[in-house]
Amino acid sequence: MTLVVIGFLWASICLYLLLGGADFGAGIIELFSGKENERKVKRIMYNAIGPIWEANHMWLIIAIVILFVGFPEIYTTISVSLHIPLVIMLLGIIARGTAFTFRHYDAVQDDWEKLYTKIFLWSSLITPLFLGIIAGSTVAGSIDRNGTDFVSTYIFSWLNPFCITVGIFTVTICGYLAAIYVIGETTNKDEINYLTRKARHTIIAVVLAGVLVFISALVDGIPLLQWIFGGTIGQVAILLASVSLLFLFFSFNKNKPNRLRVLAAFQIGMILVAVTYQHYPNILLFKDGGYLSLTQHTGSEKTMNSLGWALLIGSIFILPALFYLMYSFKKKDN
Amino acid sequence: MDDFLAARSQMAMSLGFHIIFACVGMVMPFFMAIAHYKYLKSGNELYKGLTKAWSKGVAILFATGAVSGTMLSFELGLLWPGFMQHAGPIFGMPFSLEGTAFFIEAIALGYFLYGWDKFNKWFHWFTGLVVGISGLASGILVVAANAWMNSPTGFDYADGVYSNIDPIKAMFNDAWLSQSIHMVIAAFTATGFSVAGVHAVMILRKKNIEFHTKAFKIAALCATIAALLQPLSGDFSAKDVAKRQPAKLAAMEAHFHTEANASFVIGGIPDEKNQTVNYGIKIPGLLSFLAHGDFNKPVIGLNDIPEADRPPVAITHYAFQVMIGLGMVLFFISALYMLALIKKKSWLQKKWLLKLFVIAIPLGYIALEAGWTVTEVGRQPWIIYNIMRTKDAVTPMPGIAVSFYIFTAVFASLSAIVIFLLHRQMKMVGRLYDVTAPSYQPKKKKA
């Protein structure tokens, strides 16, 4: 049952990145749109994410609940050592979630909307940045369990070049996913061209940020290259990701938005496989060489069983409803 | 401010903030579904407008509740890692089910808000109802988790080691039923009175009278039924607390000395030093009766609780008094309203009745927060009753005061914005939602 729980944990992180990440990306793209395109982008983005907006962010809650029920030691260690980035991320989530809803449900439209928009856009950037920093910190070996002073225990646990570049990489991935997903949301030729251009820019950004991650891993002495290319699964995943990127490039002008979406999601999923599988099941790597493992540091057997069943039964309710929700709103748009 | 106090304050504030939005999220969808049902049955466009107006409010409040709930799931670890490390696997069952319920709520809300004229109308109605049912389920599950902290069960404990864990037994602990019934009824009372009161204001101002009267009727009926039932559930809770947590009951009533024929104290200023209550009104025997159903049975006083295990008396006592007092006020208003509905139809047109509802706008929520304070402060100094002390659970991270100030600012501004937005929704009723109003001019759908 532990494996089922781990599967759900991985899946919810992956879906949060693919769906919630694209929501962040929508804000990021809007932030980097020129004045003349801002309104246009905002409208398209809103149509795309409105109905499933709340649901996309539930994946994070599922992941957290799995962590604190099934892997309490991992959850509490992260909570203590990464307190500061977690708080910043939470502030981002609060600001973004409320500002998004406020700007669309305000009965009166006036200058307040500009304020909500500003908050929404900046928090769309900051939240995934810190999510990436947190993700980077778990494997960077920078968490010092035996730290004695504040700075080394609570600051340098996450503040280093590697974690920051992973944060930036996460931001670019979010922007990329959003740009690809929304191409199919409009039928206007100009808008499609504009969004395609945006999507190409984000691909360049993803690649550049990815290179930065590798460089900073070298600088910080993290064996990232070996993790990713050291095993067959990683090599295959990276190969598949590259092939799908290639396909994606040739599909831009084919007017097949769903193919673009699937390819992009698949590509990012493969990247996630490549970066997570090699040090699996060790999810937290410490400065002193120790680690916390998903298979060893679990809750009691009974807990894992009931958690596993709760997740299985829950997904019977959630998944069909969610897919039908996405399907029925996409169908209408196309 | 020391870190421990800051951590407790931040947790109290986050929960106190979240609880309001969670309760609205539990109750408003049902009001919405009733209005929607009436629209589908009667075809009266006013009800459709009302459903839409309320659903906009739900969307705003749900979003706020969702993010504050997300925040809480992190805060448990950020502030109380010592607690979560052991408690997570034991009391996590309701949380994992709650995750599902919350997820379904979010999905159903998506269907409902964006599904007008898109789906079969009864399917659409049903999705609105699902929002309410899953919200209610989430609420009950979270309260069950809290109840476990009051009556921990489902594990063996010896020398700091938790073994033989049974998460299902932990979920159905002794307190879950009484606490969740009390909470659900409180949510209906508080939300119902707030909503009814706000619409009463508009009726008194003679704005969109027919629209607001329809809204008022739905909310007022739910609120008053709930308020009339609440004393029963309160009695159930009191007897339960007397059995499980005598220290909490003693603190609630500032009951310093164990005695038979114990008196129920109304008001008064507890003097912890001299172990007495000044200026209170005492009704002999009533406390014994309320706690044990027998006027002569002894009620354990604080003198029989080791000093280190006593909860703060003053806060618990005042909070309890506020809850009971406001509960009685709402009970009284509800009784009048019921009388008006059944016997004195002419009262329904009277201004004084509406004004009572206006006064009651905040009362339900104040009572609810007070009740929450009773159960949480009354459990101190324990985070897991009789097992783990709150001070042993707090994070080693220094400087929590800073985070407390930041979150205070965030919650204060969020509350202000939410109130401001709801106020604007109310102001726009004539334009956006009331088809009979001359100013009715709904927004054109954005292209």
Side-chain angles (χ1 to χ4, degrees), chain A residues 14-315:
Chain A
C14 183
L15 285 168
Y16 185 56
L17 181 65
L18 294 178
L19 300 169
D23 280 4
F24 291 122
I28 297 166
I29 299 283
E30 196 181 321
L31 185 64
F32 288 103
S33 299
K35 267 259 169 324
E36 70 276 21
N37 293 310
E38 214 175 72
R39 284 215 123 1
K40 190 159 67 186
V41 172
K42 180 182 155 190
R43 197 200 68 240
I44 302 168
M45 292 290 177
Y46 179 69
N47 285 340
I49 63 182
I52 48 171
W53 155 256
E54 295 287 359
N56 285 343
H57 294 267
M58 295 296 151
W59 295 112
L60 178 65
I61 297 188
I62 301 283
I64 281 304
V65 169
I66 293 176
L67 270 185
F68 81 56
V69 178
F71 312 96
E73 204 175 338
I74 296 169
Y75 169 79
T76 49
T77 309
I78 294 175
S79 301
V80 173
S81 304
L82 304 176
H83 189 111
I84 295 169
L86 279 168
V87 164
I88 299 175
M89 179 203 78
L90 279 176
L91 289 171
I93 288 178
I94 294 176
R96 202 185 114 86
T98 47
F100 177 83
T101 311
F102 293 169
R103 78 168 176 168
H104 287 289
Y105 284 99
D106 196 347
V108 188
Q109 281 174 340
D110 54 15
D111 282 352
W112 279 90
E113 197 184 313
K114 284 187 191 147
L115 175 72
Y116 304 140
T117 299
K118 237 193 189 102
I119 295 174
F120 172 71
L121 297 184
W122 282 103
S123 48
S124 293
L125 182 73
I126 289 166
T127 313
L129 177 68
F130 276 85
L131 274 168
I133 288 177
I134 292 161
S137 315
T138 57
V139 294
S142 52
I143 296 179
D144 189 355
R145 282 191 289 188
N146 316 311
T148 44
D149 61 312
F150 183 82
V151 175
S152 72
T153 318
Y154 298 108
I155 304 279
F156 288 133
S157 53
W158 54 276
L159 192 65
N160 55 57
F162 177 71
C163 298
I164 303 288
T165 48
V166 173
I168 295 170
F169 184 58
T170 314
V171 170
T172 58
I173 285 180
C174 294
Y176 163 65
L177 287 172
I180 299 283
Y181 288 173
V182 296
I183 289 179
E185 296 292 331
T186 170
T187 44
N188 177 317
K189 201 84 201 130
D190 285 345
E191 288 177 0
I192 292 180
N193 286 336
Y194 176 76
L195 291 170
T196 309
R197 209 164 61 239
K198 277 278 160 202
R200 289 213 169 98
H201 291 169
T202 56
I203 292 179
I204 296 168
V206 170
V207 173
L208 284 179
V211 172
L212 274 180
V213 172
F214 279 107
I215 295 174
S216 63
L218 276 179
V219 174
D220 283 350
I222 295 159
L224 186 65
L225 279 171
Q226 192 206 326
W227 283 343
I228 294 181
F229 298 104
T232 341
I233 300 181
Q235 289 162 357
V236 171
I238 287 296
L239 186 73
L240 288 174
S242 316
V243 171
S244 54
L245 183 63
L246 218 64
F247 263 115
L248 198 122
F249 252 110
F250 288 110
S251 306
F252 267 137
N253 299 322
K254 299 256 170 67
N255 195 19
K256 289 241 166 61
N258 278 332
R259 188 198 288 177
L260 287 179
R261 286 178 186 142
V262 172
L263 282 171
F266 177 74
Q267 185 203 347
I268 300 303
M270 281 300 120
I271 291 180
L272 196 62
V273 169
V275 295
T276 49
Y277 94 99
Q278 184 69 32
H279 50 84
Y280 168 85
N282 303 342
I283 189 174
L284 266 185
L285 307 177
F286 295 114
K287 199 170 190 169
D288 55 20
Y291 59 84
L292 287 180
S293 146
L294 286 171
T295 46
Q296 291 164 33
H297 300 92
T298 63
S300 76
E301 201 186 322
K302 257 195 171 156
T303 304
M304 298 311 272
N305 274 334
S306 47
L307 177 60
W309 280 111
L311 290 166
L312 285 170
I313 294 167
S315 53

Side-chain angles (χ1 to χ4, degrees), chain B residues 277-425:
Chain B
V277 182
N278 299 320
Y279 316 114
I281 303 167
K282 292 186 177 170
I283 307 174
L286 188 60
L287 184 59
S288 289
F289 179 73
L290 289 175
H292 303 296
D294 178 346
F295 285 100
N296 290 316
K297 237 184 167 174
V299 176
I300 297 173
L302 287 162
N303 61 329
D304 277 340
I305 314 277
E307 208 167 333
D309 297 350
R310 289 182 200 164
V313 178
I315 298 180
T316 317
H317 179 66
Y318 293 139
F320 182 61
Q321 298 291 315
V322 167
M323 178 185 81
I324 295 271
L326 294 178
M328 292 319 291
V329 171
L330 296 177
F331 183 86
F332 177 70
I333 297 176
S334 305
L336 280 178
Y337 185 71
M338 282 294 158
L339 193 63
L341 275 184
I342 297 163
K343 281 228 144 140
K344 308 261 184 188
K345 298 258 187 235
S346 63
W347 286 6
L348 292 173
Q349 313 298 328
K350 296 275 195 279
K351 276 191 177 173
W352 60 263
L353 191 67
L354 288 173
K355 279 184 184 159
L356 281 178
F357 276 90
V358 175
I359 295 167
I361 292 176
L363 300 189
Y365 275 105
I366 298 173
L368 190 140
E369 296 279 5
W372 180 248
T373 309
V374 170
T375 194
E376 289 297 283
V377 176
R379 192 191 59 241
Q380 303 303 327
W382 304 101
I383 192 165
I384 310 174
Y385 184 61
N386 274 344
I387 302 277
M388 184 190 281
R389 283 173 199 275
T390 314
K391 67 175 165 49
D392 298 329
V394 73
T395 179
M397 157 102 186
I400 298 297
V402 177
S403 116
F404 170 63
Y405 296 135
I406 294 174
F407 281 108
T408 309
V410 168
F411 284 135
S413 32
L414 268 184
S415 315
I417 297 176
V418 168
I419 292 171
F420 170 71
L421 284 173
L422 293 179
H423 178 70
R424 301 231 287 202
Q425 290 281 348

